[in-house]
Amino acid sequence: MSTSILITGCSTGIGYHCAIALHQAGYQVIASCRRPEDVAALQTQGLHCVQLDLASSQSIQQGLKETLDITGGTLDVLFNNAAYGQPGALEDLPTHALREQFETNFFGWHELTTLVIPLMLEQGHGKIVQNSSVLGLVAMKYRGAYNASKFALEGYTDTLRLELMDTPINVSLIEPGPIESQFRDNAKRQFEKHINIDDSRHQASYKKTLERLGKSSPTNKFTLTPEAVLKPLLHIINSNKPSPRYYVTQPTYIFGFLRRVLPSRWLDNLLVKSN
């Protein structure tokens, strides 16, 4: 049997690209999407695809059940990938918007992961891969909700790796910087949904944020295609001892290094100018 891998967040971007590429390479891919129409679209492309909404416990449990029906009750790799960004200054962010961010970006990952761990322990092997971000290493203005969810994920995953060290389960983080996807489009919708620009002292900056999010092409010259994430994912899948961390894109390497060597105030002065 080929290696089975469940990937969350496959409607677009990294999840979609990795699901298609791994399927074409002969892996048993079970893609998952939140919306039924996206599930149907991937199924027409020949993929196994299940509906899985990380903000719903019932959907998580049902999605995993359908996954295991496809694989025959086993799962070799879980790739937690589904996430979105909620822009806006923390002072302007409604608490319920922060809860929504964590429900999808963190709590849903935890629930799915804890359902998979007993299965992997019983079968005697397994790999859990967490798709984090450079924004889990350093913070940037107006990305506080996303920063918080990814910083939480980093600590969570480091702890999980320690707790599973005496088991046959490997845990790895992939930490991308800017990657081509619909992340900006989704972030723009969330921004317009939750942030009241007119009542904010950040109004002028917000207008620039909306302009950046509304551009059809990447605004960061270091932006890479999703292929850049597929490479470390393949290494993890095929390695007997995958690394705990995989940096992706030049900004991740740069800021990962600067975070270790610079005083906090020096790093703040760099980050406050970053977009």
Side-chain angles (χ1 to χ4, degrees):
M1 292 291 291
S2 60
T3 300
S4 59
I5 173 169
L6 170 61
I7 306 175
T8 63
C10 294
S11 59
T12 61
I14 291 170
Y16 175 82
H17 177 84
C18 290
I20 294 292
L22 291 173
H23 171 71
Q24 292 174 345
Y27 295 92
Q28 186 182 33
V29 176
I30 301 87
S32 76
C33 302
R34 179 175 58 87
R35 298 184 301 179
E37 57 267 34
D38 293 327
V39 173
L42 282 178
Q43 288 174 340
T44 62
Q45 297 180 57
L47 271 78
H48 293 297
C49 191
V50 300
Q51 185 178 2
L52 199 160
D53 182 352
L54 288 169
S56 164
S57 291
Q58 181 179 355
S59 180
I60 291 169
Q61 293 172 28
Q62 181 62 30
L64 180 58
K65 180 182 180 300
E66 293 177 13
T67 296
L68 297 179
D69 288 342
I70 294 168
T71 65
T74 64
L75 185 66
D76 299 312
V77 183
L78 169 63
F79 182 30
N80 281 315
N81 165 73
Y84 71 93
Q86 169 62 64
L90 289 172
E91 68 195 69
D92 294 334
L93 192 68
T95 302
H96 67 84
L98 186 61
R99 287 196 180 102
E100 289 175 12
Q101 178 83 109
F102 267 76
E103 201 66 53
T104 295
N105 288 20
F106 186 75
F107 295 129
W109 292 36
H110 169 69
E111 183 165 356
L112 180 56
T113 300
T114 57
L115 290 173
V116 166
I117 287 173
L119 171 69
M120 290 182 171
L121 289 173
E122 183 178 352
Q123 69 190 18
H125 69 274
K127 293 172 181 175
I128 297 169
V129 188
Q130 312 274 62
N131 196 27
S132 184
S133 170
V134 63
L135 295 182
L137 302 176
V138 295
M140 290 186 180
K141 290 193 307 180
Y142 309 132
R143 295 163 173 85
Y146 187 74
N147 276 139
S149 71
K150 291 301 184 181
F151 268 69
L153 178 66
E154 293 275 332
Y156 176 96
T157 305
D158 284 344
T159 305
L160 186 66
R161 189 176 62 255
L162 295 175
E163 293 171 350
L164 293 175
M165 195 171 289
D166 61 345
T167 77
I169 302 175
N170 291 289
V171 181
S172 296
L173 277 159
I174 298 178
E175 296 161 322
I179 299 290
E180 288 181 9
S181 69
Q182 292 187 8
F183 189 88
R184 291 193 312 278
D185 294 337
N186 295 331
K188 185 173 183 288
R189 284 194 293 270
Q190 294 298 322
F191 182 88
E192 293 171 339
K193 177 182 177 182
H194 290 300
I195 301 298
N196 186 339
I197 298 177
D198 295 334
D199 291 342
S200 174
R201 69 185 181 92
H202 300 282
Q203 185 177 134
S205 296
Y206 282 164
K207 290 179 180 178
K208 295 178 181 178
T209 296
L210 283 172
E211 181 181 347
R212 175 178 59 82
L213 294 175
K215 290 183 178 180
S216 57
S217 57
T219 57
N220 191 309
K221 65 181 180 179
F222 298 110
T223 300
L224 300 180
T225 65
E227 176 70 24
V229 176
L230 176 63
K231 290 179 181 178
L233 179 58
L234 276 168
H235 184 271
I236 294 168
I237 293 171
N238 294 311
S239 174
N240 291 327
K241 194 173 182 180
S243 298
R245 274 181 165 74
Y246 294 80
Y247 283 5
V248 180
T249 75
Q250 191 170 344
T252 309
Y253 282 97
I254 293 171
F255 284 121
F257 172 75
L258 293 178
R259 186 187 69 159
R260 294 193 300 270
V261 301
L262 288 184
S264 294
R265 290 190 186 279
W266 290 16
L267 184 58
D268 284 351
N269 288 332
L270 288 175
L271 293 170
V272 78
K273 300 172 184 176
S274 301
N275 242 343

